[in-house]
């Protein structure tokens, strides 16, 4: 099921389970759902597109019922080569949003269209070194744009400061209804600048699951994002 557009109107924190205890993923998911998370972010890595290997369809399929029972949505970030080979599998596993890297897609229009035809929200992702111009056309066929603020592959990296200006420039480039997702190094020190620049779906892995109390940290970050990011309308 696609992610409702009503979830794009104010800044939201998306917990990324990459930094959770993998032996207790269901429990970690339930904790952030109870704290009010509306979108859960899952990082799929193949050891080719990025140096790390993480999780695949079976884990997504196991977590999907936990997320959906809470009335929330599952956002799956594919950091893999040849994502076209797997979009159907992840749709079947219960993903609601599926994002693919512009750097990994030879026929991005076709990939985004296929994701939409499967009834999911389609996202296009840019690495920090990829210029915004690379998605000028693709963005017309995407439901959201994910801007990486670290080089993908690992949780717990430092936010690349130039990302703030890139978010601002991307915001000016996109139609107002298309939310910008920001992923990497988002935490107490950076979330204000990210939300103010126009970030709406703010992924936080280590900041949430590395905290002593993930639920409390999720709520604190959500409040900070709303305070700094919701004064203007979407699209400013
Ligand atoms: C990085 C992943 C992120 C990761 C972010 O390649 O795409 O989603 O979980 O982790 P933090 O929030 O720790 O930077
Ligand atoms: Zn991610």
């Amino acid at each position: 099921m696609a992610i409702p557009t009503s979830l794009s109107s104010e800044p939201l924190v998306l917990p990324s389970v990459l930094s959770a205890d993998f032996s207790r993923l269901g429990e970690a998911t339930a904790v952030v759902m109870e704290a009010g998370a509306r979108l859960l972010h899952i990082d799929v890595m193949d050891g080719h597109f990025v140096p790390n290997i993480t999780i695949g369809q079976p884990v997504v399929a196991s977590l999907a019922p936990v997320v959906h029972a809470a009335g929330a949505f599952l956002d799956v970030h594919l950091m893999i080569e040849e994502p076209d080979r797997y979009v159907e599998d992840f749709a079947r596993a219960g993903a609601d949003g599926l994002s693919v890297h512009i750097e990994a897609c030879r026929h991005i229009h076709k990939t985004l269209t296929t994701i939409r035809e499967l009834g999911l929200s389609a996202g296009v992702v840019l690495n920090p070194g990829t210029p915004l111009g690379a998605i000028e056309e693709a963005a017309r066929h995407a439901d959201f744009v994910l801007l990486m603020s670290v080089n993908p592959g690992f949780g717990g990296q430092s936010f690349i400061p130039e990302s703030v200006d890139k978010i601002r420039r991307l915001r000016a480039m996109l139609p107002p209804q298309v939310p910008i997702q920001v992923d990497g190094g988002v935490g107490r020190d950076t979330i204000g600048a990210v939300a103010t620049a126009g970030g709406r779906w703010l992924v936080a892995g280590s900041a949430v699951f590395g905290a002593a109390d993930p639920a409390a940290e999720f709520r604190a970050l959500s409040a900070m994002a709303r305070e700094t990011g919701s004064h203007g309308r979407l699209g400013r």
Side-chain angles (χ1 to χ4, degrees):
M1 183 177 163
I3 299 166
T5 49
S6 57
L7 291 187
S8 314
S9 54
E10 64 170 4
L12 293 178
V13 175
L14 281 63
S16 166
V17 292
L18 185 61
S19 293
D21 176 351
F22 274 25
S23 72
R24 300 160 79 191
L25 266 187
E27 208 177 296
T29 299
V31 163
V32 289
M33 292 295 111
E34 275 162 36
R38 307 295 295 124
L39 283 161
L40 187 81
H41 185 83
I42 298 195
D43 291 304
V44 175
M45 306 187 190
D46 65 353
H48 290 276
F49 180 70
V50 289
N52 200 5
I53 299 176
T54 56
I55 58 181
Q57 303 94 306
V59 177
V60 173
S62 303
L63 291 181
V66 182
V67 171
H68 294 152
F73 297 87
L74 203 52
D75 168 47
V76 177
H77 175 191
L78 298 182
M79 283 159 278
I80 61 176
E81 298 284 2
E82 298 188 66
D84 307 74
R85 289 175 56 193
Y86 300 96
V87 292
E88 259 187 69
D89 286 350
F90 282 101
R92 219 175 299 123
D96 302 296
L98 206 50
S99 59
V100 292
H101 275 256
I102 186 78
E103 304 87 0
C105 292
R106 206 165 276 174
H107 305 290
I108 186 71
H109 171 265
K110 181 169 179 287
T111 309
L112 294 170
T113 306
T114 304
I115 294 170
R116 282 178 156 180
E117 283 171 359
L118 289 165
L120 276 61
S121 298
V124 60
V125 193
L126 295 95
N127 280 335
T130 304
L132 292 177
I135 59 144
E136 193 182 334
E137 288 304 316
R140 297 175 204 269
H141 310 285
D143 299 298
F144 64 97
V145 176
L146 166 48
L147 203 143
M148 291 306 301
S149 39
V150 299
N151 287 296
F154 301 93
Q157 302 182 76
S158 298
F159 184 86
I160 297 172
E162 289 78 9
S163 309
V164 173
D165 181 57
K166 198 174 181 186
I167 297 166
R168 221 176 276 128
R169 287 183 286 124
L170 177 60
R171 188 63 275 164
M173 196 179 125
L174 292 176
Q177 73 277 9
V178 178
I180 297 175
Q181 183 175 155
V182 182
D183 188 3
V186 174
R188 287 187 184 228
D189 293 344
T190 52
I191 199 161
V194 167
T196 303
R200 280 297 174 271
W201 291 350
L202 316 174
V203 177
S206 52
V208 170
F209 290 108
D213 183 344
E217 191 60 24
F218 168 80
R219 283 191 292 261
L221 290 171
S222 300
M224 289 174 79
R226 275 195 303 270
E227 272 164 32
T228 46
S230 61
H231 303 304
R233 63 186 168 78
L234 182 66
R236 71 180 183 170

